[in-house]
Amino acid sequence: MATSDPPPTEADPSALMCHSDEVGLCAKCWRKTHRYGRGGNPLCSYCFAAVSAQWGPRVRRTPRA
Ligand SMILES: [Zn+2]
């Protein structure tokens, strides 16, 4: 596993590159990240990488029912 992830207090790089009203908090580590679309559970790229490593590359972010 990656051990070089920055601390959650540090925003995800994607959050710095997107529009400010598209910034949300990662559902897992609460760092600022790019929110893809309205609602849903944003994951920062670090958590998303961990999730896709766990569940496979085909996993997609799915809205919670
Ligand atoms: Zn995260």
Side-chain angles (χ1 to χ4, degrees), residues 19-54:
H19 213 262
S20 61
D21 52 311
E22 290 180 334
V23 172
L25 295 179
C26 172
K28 215 170 165 186
C29 71
W30 298 93
R31 88 173 72 235
K32 284 184 179 179
T33 188
H34 185 188
R35 196 178 52 189
Y36 300 93
R38 291 173 150 266
N41 268 352
L43 280 179
C44 71
S45 53
Y46 309 108
C47 291
F48 186 80
V51 166
S52 56
Q54 188 177 355

Side-chain angles (χ1 to χ4, degrees), residues 48 51-52 55-62:
F48 186 80
V51 166
S52 56
W55 297 97
R58 287 179 58 92
V59 74
R60 294 290 302 261
R61 206 172 49 78
T62 51

